[in-house]
């Protein structure tokens, strides 16, 4: 089993930045890919970004390309989401997810991921 804990959410004005962290514990050797999803009130959970746990290949939703950056620190078993130029429409609960299959970094459905964190709230004011 893999446990994921997100942190770093908060309230920020439009145009500002936040960095989310996702600390993994447990059977971290079983992680093949990491991703971030988000869910706004009344909406379905949507893909934000993903990457292979070992490697540099990354995948981004069109809505965040050029503004968000996913990265990882394998030594710390931590994945990050740097969010710049935030917009009010980025307001959501952000979830970290992990998949056992490293090929799943290419996939956007939530069902492609095996483990989930509890989520962290990001609110962007206009």
């Amino acid at each position: 089993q893999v446990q994921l804990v997100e942190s770093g959410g908060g309230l920020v004005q439009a145009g500002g930045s936040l960095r989310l962290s996702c600390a993994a514990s447990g059977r971290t050797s079983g992680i093949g890919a990491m991703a971030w999803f988000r869910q706004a009130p009344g909406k379905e959970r949507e893909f934000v970004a993903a990457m292979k746990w070992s490697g540099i290949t990354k995948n981004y939703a069109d809505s965040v390309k050029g503004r968000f950056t996913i990265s990882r620190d394998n030594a710390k078993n931590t994945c990050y989401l740097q969010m710049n130029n935030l917009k009010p429409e980025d307001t959501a609960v952000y979830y970290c997810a992990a998949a056992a299959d490293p090929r799943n970094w290419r996939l956007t459905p939530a069902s492609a991921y095996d483990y989930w964190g509890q989520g962290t709230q990001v609110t962007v004011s206009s």
Side-chain angles (χ1 to χ4, degrees):
Q1 284 283 13
V2 174
Q3 292 80 43
L4 303 173
V5 178
E6 302 98 333
S7 61
L11 173 64
V12 64
Q13 289 188 332
S17 299
L18 281 175
R19 188 177 81 155
L20 305 183
S21 299
C22 174
S25 62
R27 193 174 174 271
T28 57
S29 62
I31 297 176
M34 294 286 286
W36 290 91
F37 285 75
R38 65 187 182 187
Q39 188 167 17
K43 295 188 176 181
E44 293 188 355
R45 192 169 297 190
E46 66 171 356
F47 172 81
V48 175
M51 69 183 302
K52 293 180 71 173
W53 193 234
S54 58
I56 60 173
T57 46
K58 301 179 182 181
N59 186 18
Y60 293 97
D62 288 342
S63 59
V64 306
K65 279 181 182 176
R67 300 188 299 122
F68 290 11
T69 302
I70 187 171
S71 63
R72 73 184 189 290
D73 184 333
N74 292 92
K76 295 182 178 179
N77 288 325
T78 300
C79 182
Y80 303 98
L81 185 68
Q82 177 67 44
M83 305 185 295
N84 298 329
N85 190 20
L86 282 160
K87 304 176 181 181
E89 51 264 42
D90 294 318
T91 295
V93 176
Y94 282 71
Y95 297 91
C96 175
D101 192 333
R103 297 171 296 180
N104 287 15
W105 69 273
R106 304 180 182 189
L107 304 179
T108 60
S111 59
Y113 291 84
D114 306 297
Y115 306 101
W116 292 85
Q118 82 288 350
T120 185
Q121 176 70 47
V122 171
T123 303
V124 184
S125 63
S126 57

